[in-house]
Amino acid sequence: MRPLHRVVITGIGAVTPLGLNATDTWSALREGRVAIGPLESFPREGLRYGIAAEVRGFDPAAHFDDKKLVQYDRFTQFALVAAREAIKQAGIDFAADGLGEDTAVIIGTGVGGEQTHDEASRRLYGDNNPRLHPLTIVRLITNAATSHICIEHGLNGPAFATSSACASANHALAQAFAMVRSGMVGAAVAGGSEACITRGVVRAWEAMRVMADDTCRPFSKQRRGMVLGEGAGVFVLETLESAQRRGATILAELAGAGMSADASDIVFPSQVGAARAITRALADARLAPEDIDYINAHGTATPANDPTETKAIRQVFGAHADQLMVSSTKSMHGHALGAAGAIELVATIGALRDGVVPPTMNFIDPDPECDLDYVPNAARERPVRAALSNSLAFGGLNAVLALRPAP
């Protein structure tokens, strides 16, 4: 049996509504900046609400030449830029270090190349034009981001995409973690990417009656629903031994992961299912409930999610729940679906490294059913000994990551 390795994170990359790199994203998170505003990427006529957290100021031409760019949907563009940043920070030269054949690539996405899909549908059905772009399929497939990261960096190890709605990124990271810990691979590039803000997707979410018309207010009595976001977060995972041997800067330790399926309702969340994933993450990381200081909550600001997640936390943590700091950073960057867990991991690592817990913004009055400390409206300086990051997806698929500060 292979020995189990400790797994650390040595690189972070991000493209988010809060910033076009991980550093700017974390600065905005700790400052409580809100990136939610009126839609700018397409006309708002005919929409019920017309707000989102868009990645603004992203210029694809600054990152890709025309021959490459024609192959990439927006979600792939985000993932490639974030991966470059993470790999550069990690300081890994895959070819020189002999890791090219021993590195996994796993990128989660909820919908994949939705910009491409939307454009093709508009052309085919709206314009009655049967001629689609010849690269339509390779742009919209959900594994496109994974494949292009492999191509760009010469990575020949196990590679695939995960797609489990809002838990896609955490599932990708959990799988990458398990593979590195077991010794199946020496390193992994993993995370999530989403570019889902199209007219079709927005209208579909509006039809579910779960969207807010003002802003995102997780756990607040005045919450009116979720707000769509977009972006990417990508991370380099490797063994502690490898990072120490290379002299790499260790950003955090990924200590465990817990996953579960509610097996109950396709949209309504389950307290039992969420609690099961949290409990499994703690057990996998060999952490007691009392070891956790901070939880980055799924916190969608929907009527159903917030009280259900609160009850799940109370079920697992008991009396210690009153000592926890819990926040939903979706109040700032919106709900990026398959990339949500990756963007939120940027926030969780920042809290561990800097001892600053990002806030739940837009909070007005507490909801009696949501009775935890949600760090309302301002970041809090407090050492964090260990943290969890929750992703609780439609379909009842849950994935929770457990982290410690850098060893």
Side-chain angles (χ1 to χ4, degrees):
M1 176 180 274
R2 290 171 171 162
L4 294 182
H5 301 279
R6 293 175 69 180
V7 179
V8 296
I9 297 169
T10 55
I12 303 176
V15 177
T16 77
L18 296 170
L20 302 183
N21 56 60
T23 299
D24 290 348
T25 295
W26 169 238
S27 295
L29 285 163
R30 63 184 292 169
E31 291 168 15
R33 280 188 250 152
V34 176
I36 296 167
L39 272 165
E40 296 180 359
S41 56
F42 59 87
R44 298 193 296 275
E45 286 78 15
L47 299 178
R48 289 170 59 89
Y49 307 131
I51 60 172
E54 296 172 288
V55 173
R56 297 185 171 95
F58 179 82
D59 179 10
H63 303 283
F64 311 105
D65 63 40
D66 290 344
K67 290 182 179 179
K68 292 289 187 181
L69 187 55
V70 72
Q71 303 177 48
Y72 305 150
D73 184 88
R74 184 171 168 90
F75 99 102
T76 297
Q77 297 167 27
F78 289 164
L80 281 166
V81 172
R84 289 174 185 173
E85 182 186 6
I87 290 167
K88 181 178 179 181
Q89 183 179 34
I92 290 183
D93 183 331
F94 292 106
D97 295 341
L99 281 172
E101 296 188 2
D102 198 30
T103 297
V105 180
I106 312 172
I107 302 297
T109 184
V111 297
E114 183 56 32
Q115 299 274 347
T116 298
H117 183 262
D118 191 69
E119 178 185 333
S121 297
R122 183 170 57 250
R123 185 180 180 91
L124 185 62
Y125 301 116
D127 300 339
N128 198 29
N129 187 338
R131 296 175 63 87
L132 300 184
H133 194 287
L135 297 179
T136 296
I137 291 296
V138 298
R139 286 167 58 106
L140 65 80
I141 53 178
T142 54
N143 63 292
T146 295
S147 297
H148 283 297
I149 290 171
C150 291
I151 292 167
E152 183 167 301
H153 297 282
L155 303 178
N156 307 112
F160 52 92
T162 57
S163 188
S164 47
C166 320
S168 299
N170 271 15
H171 273 129
L173 288 154
Q175 292 303 308
F177 162 72
M179 294 169 79
V180 175
R181 181 171 64 171
S182 71
M184 180 182 293
V185 297
V189 178
S193 187
E194 202 81 270
C196 55
I197 301 176
T198 66
R199 179 174 290 277
V201 169
V202 171
R203 289 303 299 269
W205 278 101
E206 286 185 344
M208 292 200 71
R209 303 294 193 267
V210 295
M211 302 288 282
D213 60 357
D214 54 352
T215 191
C216 182
R217 304 183 189 278
F219 303 108
S220 175
K221 185 178 180 179
Q222 291 82 2
R223 69 189 185 280
R224 300 170 70 91
M226 58 176 274
V227 175
L228 280 178
E230 61 178 349
V234 177
F235 306 84
V236 173
L237 281 58
E238 59 184 300
T239 65
L240 175 61
E241 303 95 316
S242 168
Q244 290 175 332
R245 184 171 60 251
R246 294 193 308 109
T249 299
I250 297 172
L251 307 175
E253 179 178 1
L254 184 48
M259 297 172 280
S260 71
D262 294 349
S264 56
D265 190 276
I266 197 68
V267 293
F268 198 87
S270 161
Q271 173 185 336
V272 174
R276 185 179 292 119
I278 294 169
T279 299
R280 287 174 175 171
L282 291 171
D284 193 45
R286 294 182 171 84
L287 290 167
E290 294 74 23
D291 295 327
I292 303 298
D293 291 321
Y294 171 55
I295 298 178
N296 187 292
H298 190 56
T300 59
T302 58
N305 175 88
D306 294 6
T308 301
E309 187 171 10
T310 297
K311 292 171 185 174
I313 291 169
R314 285 208 168 275
Q315 178 180 327
V316 174
F317 287 90
H320 184 64
D322 292 320
Q323 308 304 315
L324 291 169
M325 295 173 286
V326 179
S327 69
S328 171
T329 53
K330 288 183 178 73
S331 58
M332 293 177 270
H333 54 69
H335 192 347
L337 305 183
I343 296 171
E344 289 154 17
L345 186 57
V346 176
T348 307
I349 292 171
L352 286 162
R353 293 193 73 201
D354 293 356
V356 177
V357 173
T360 301
M361 294 301 294
N362 312 314
F363 196 93
I364 302 176
D365 296 318
D367 183 332
E369 290 191 274
C370 302
D371 57 355
L372 298 171
D373 175 5
Y374 301 111
V375 194
N377 298 321
R380 187 176 303 164
E381 294 190 16
R382 190 78 58 81
V384 177
R385 296 169 299 156
L388 300 179
S389 182
N390 292 350
S391 286
L392 314 174
F394 267 13
L397 308 181
N398 311 303
V400 178
L401 305 177
L403 294 100
R404 296 188 187 96

